[in-house]
Amino acid sequence: MKLGSPFRPRLLSALLFSIFLGSAPATPAQERGELRIATSYKLMTLDPQYANLNENTSLLSHIFERLVYQDENLELKPGLATSWRPRSDTQWAFKLRDKVRFHDGSAFDADDVVYTIERIRDFLKPPSGGFRSYVSGIKSVSAPDPLTVLIETDGAVPNLPLFFSSLFVMNRPSKGFETTEDLNAGHPPNGTGPYRFESWSSGESLRLARNDDYWGGKPAWSKVTFRVIENPAARVAALSTGEVDVADAIPARDVASLKERGARVASVGAARVNFVQFDVARDTLPGVTDKSGEPIANPFKNPLVRRALTLATDRGILVDKILAGYGTAAAQVFPNGLPGTSANLLPEAPNYDEAKMLLAKAGFPDGFNLVLAGPAGRYPGDAESLQAVAQSWARIGVNAQPAAAPFSVFNTKRAAGDYGVWYGGTSGEAVDIILHTLLASPDPERGTGALNFGKYRNEAFDAMLARAESIAVGPERNAALAQATELVMADQPIIPLYHFHHIVGYGSRIGSYVLHPRGWTTAMQTRPAME
């Protein structure tokens, strides 16, 4: 059974340079009216620095911009910063783009970058998934002139420019720090991006207007409306009937029928992983019982149980059947071939006999019961994946009851500790970012483990990851990250399932849609059809 293949970006580099720098300028023949996008992303806040979630990152990128951005190979390119260089092991200098203005007409300068860093580091107290870990190592930041930012770090931070590819720059207000509550209360967000804020209805829509004074050239669309449609079938229907021009997160099963109805489809392998995560910290877990329904000691503390469940997981069914080939079986956090991945980690075919032996050795010859939680409608094939994993585990005596819920409900319950084992997903700028947030020991001071809801701890892995993160970007760092990944995956704190492919459908008003492996959905990726 072939379960994996090397990651191969399939984007157009020339287009991406303009698209992810900001927005390619429109020619008169390309200018159009309103672009209508059906998105699965439910914008949670208008604060661009509050929550590190794709829905916020994607939608707010129309309004706000970063110093640095990543191209289709996850390489760094200039954004609001035109260049950067280390002056020493603990000092970086960033040169900023001249003649950039915020939507209120004020000039962008180094003081706005200082404010951005200080607001994230010293003021915000976000939930898990925030951006504080990106700036926690910054000792001081200063602006020696309007177009230069100097950053002093507590120690060597060779990956600092990569961190800035995730941070939106905000305009410094006249006094104090803006609160998330103030930003959500209707005060228009003030960025430098290609589109201006018009209105937002939480969970329903986001309306934007073209920024005619955008430094990167006038965008193609005069208006952009995002309609939040969390149900995949409803998104497909909206695209099929022409209610919207673009629909994201198209289920693989609907690709053929969409094409038959005249829509076109774009897809690209995702720089992300979907996985099963275990709570390995608590002594007993909700929903985990013996076969008679009585609570038992947490079985996931035993690595033999985690290994058994890994061997009883059929990734081939997930990729071939549920994702209809629009995915790659996973054995680590990024698809093989991207920087920092290990060539030695390959997906395994299921081995139910060995899995049963491991369960028996761990003291569970008859298996046990559990509730397998997960979101419904957030990721391609999520609810179906829960069912498929449960069916696989039943073959070794582990009776899993799938419990799918809307992501907002699932996310709240997961954070509250209502689950003992769950299906989830995450993406990031690089391998070390995901390792840092998903698998490193939770430590608020260091900013590690923000997504480590299972409270997994491995001191040897923490040390290897810290060493890798101290190495300058390049082959040596990549090799150290691969070694750290091999160590932690041998302990099986998660079961990597697959790297799904982002699939976007678009209608006749769209000439082309260029996808990025980070999975953003933006107007800037959309080109109008030529009349």
Side-chain angles (χ1 to χ4, degrees):
M1 180 184 297
K2 184 180 180 182
L3 293 181
S5 60
F7 175 81
R8 293 182 177 90
R10 292 179 288 169
L11 301 182
L12 302 176
S13 299
L15 279 175
L16 276 165
F17 182 81
S18 60
I19 288 170
F20 292 101
L21 184 61
S23 177
T27 64
Q30 288 178 305
E31 291 185 14
R32 295 296 185 273
E34 182 183 17
L35 174 66
R36 305 158 301 168
I37 300 177
T39 182
S40 59
Y41 290 143
K42 183 179 180 180
L43 183 62
M44 298 176 64
T45 176
L46 293 177
D47 186 339
Q49 299 168 353
Y50 185 69
N52 188 9
L53 295 171
N54 239 20
E55 46 264 69
N56 297 329
T57 299
S58 181
L59 299 185
L60 292 179
S61 66
H62 296 79
I63 302 169
F64 298 95
E65 295 183 289
R66 310 168 180 87
L67 293 180
V68 182
Y69 82 95
Q70 287 181 295
D71 68 9
E72 78 282 12
N73 295 314
L74 304 186
E75 300 291 341
L76 299 182
K77 301 294 182 182
L80 289 176
T82 57
S83 64
W84 50 89
R85 65 181 180 89
R87 289 187 167 184
S88 69
D89 287 344
T90 59
Q91 187 180 79
W92 284 83
F94 287 76
K95 290 295 183 181
L96 306 183
R97 195 173 297 277
D98 196 8
K99 298 179 180 178
V100 175
R101 294 197 170 273
F102 287 92
H103 296 161
D104 67 356
S106 59
F108 159 73
D109 62 24
D111 203 35
D112 300 305
V113 179
V114 173
Y115 169 77
T116 290
I117 293 171
E118 291 179 342
R119 181 175 186 265
I120 297 171
R121 185 191 62 187
D122 304 331
F123 178 71
L124 287 181
K125 300 187 185 302
S128 56
F131 293 98
R132 182 169 290 183
S133 63
Y134 294 83
V135 297
S136 60
I138 294 178
K139 181 178 180 180
S140 66
V141 55
S142 60
D145 64 65
L147 296 179
T148 303
V149 176
L150 290 182
I151 295 173
E152 291 281 352
T153 58
D154 287 322
V157 186
N159 225 20
L160 189 66
L162 175 65
F163 294 164
F164 284 120
S165 71
S166 287
L167 305 182
F168 287 123
V169 176
M170 292 179 64
N171 182 222
R172 180 185 285 277
S174 57
K175 58 180 180 179
F177 292 106
E178 287 186 283
T179 68
T180 300
E181 292 74 20
D182 287 342
L183 289 168
N184 289 338
H187 186 270
N190 184 28
T192 60
Y195 290 92
R196 301 170 182 268
F197 174 84
E198 279 204 337
S199 66
W200 170 53
S201 178
S202 180
E204 296 182 10
S205 65
L206 174 68
R207 299 182 186 278
L208 306 165
R210 179 168 57 200
N211 177 13
D212 289 331
D213 298 322
Y214 180 57
W215 62 267
K218 189 164 70 171
W221 305 97
S222 61
K223 300 278 187 181
V224 178
T225 297
F226 283 90
R227 287 177 52 192
V228 179
I229 303 178
E230 294 188 90
N231 182 278
R235 286 195 304 277
V236 170
L239 178 61
S240 298
T241 60
E243 294 177 40
V244 298
D245 304 302
V246 176
D248 66 14
I250 297 295
R253 63 177 178 268
D254 293 319
V255 168
S257 63
L258 271 177
K259 289 181 177 179
E260 289 174 0
R261 284 175 275 180
R264 284 175 288 173
V265 170
S267 69
V268 69
R272 61 172 304 120
V273 65
N274 283 69
F275 53 85
V276 170
Q277 189 172 35
F278 305 103
D279 184 323
V280 299
R282 290 180 285 176
D283 293 331
T284 59
L285 299 173
V288 180
T289 70
D290 63 19
K291 289 300 184 68
S292 66
E294 293 297 318
I296 59 175
N298 181 354
F300 307 129
K301 287 189 173 185
N302 191 329
L304 294 178
V305 173
R306 303 196 299 268
R307 176 62 180 159
L309 292 174
T310 299
L311 286 172
T313 301
D314 191 342
R315 296 173 177 87
I317 288 178
L318 302 178
V319 170
D320 298 334
K321 303 299 184 184
I322 294 175
L323 298 179
Y326 284 92
T328 305
Q332 53 191 314
V333 298
F334 261 13
N336 285 19
L338 285 178
T341 57
S342 169
N344 298 322
L345 292 175
L346 299 174
E348 298 176 276
N351 187 330
Y352 300 108
D353 290 336
E354 184 177 349
K356 287 179 181 178
M357 287 190 293
L358 290 174
L359 270 188
K361 187 175 181 180
F364 300 98
D366 299 322
F368 51 88
N369 299 335
L370 59 84
V371 173
L372 178 60
R378 176 161 179 87
Y379 308 113
D382 48 15
E384 297 93 333
S385 293
L386 287 181
Q387 296 283 348
V389 171
Q391 291 170 10
S392 290
W393 289 358
R395 297 183 61 170
I396 63 169
V398 175
N399 296 329
Q401 176 187 343
F407 179 72
S408 57
V409 175
F410 164 78
N411 199 37
T412 299
K413 288 188 173 184
R414 179 178 59 177
D418 289 355
Y419 304 134
V421 55
W422 55 89
Y423 162 98
T426 189
S427 63
E429 302 85 347
V431 162
D432 52 305
I433 299 296
I434 296 186
L435 296 176
H436 191 90
T437 57
L438 183 64
L439 296 174
S441 299
D443 186 339
E445 292 299 318
R446 293 179 55 233
T448 57
L451 298 181
N452 185 353
F453 295 106
K455 301 298 187 288
Y456 171 77
R457 294 181 179 276
N458 184 327
E459 292 183 0
F461 167 68
D462 291 340
M464 290 185 71
L465 178 59
R467 176 187 172 275
E469 291 178 324
S470 71
I471 302 171
V473 174
E476 184 183 355
R477 180 190 182 94
N478 292 337
L481 288 171
Q483 291 172 0
T485 300
E486 291 170 7
L487 175 75
V488 73
M489 291 316 307
D491 205 22
Q492 227 71 71
I494 64 170
I495 303 176
L497 297 178
Y498 53 76
H499 314 286
F500 66 72
H501 294 178
H502 297 296
I503 308 175
V504 169
Y506 54 98
S508 60
R509 296 181 67 233
I510 308 302
S512 64
Y513 189 92
V514 182
L515 274 163
H516 190 278
R518 292 284 303 279
W520 297 313
T521 302
T522 74
M524 293 84 77
Q525 294 163 255
T526 306
R527 288 294 175 271
M530 300 296 291
E531 292 183 346

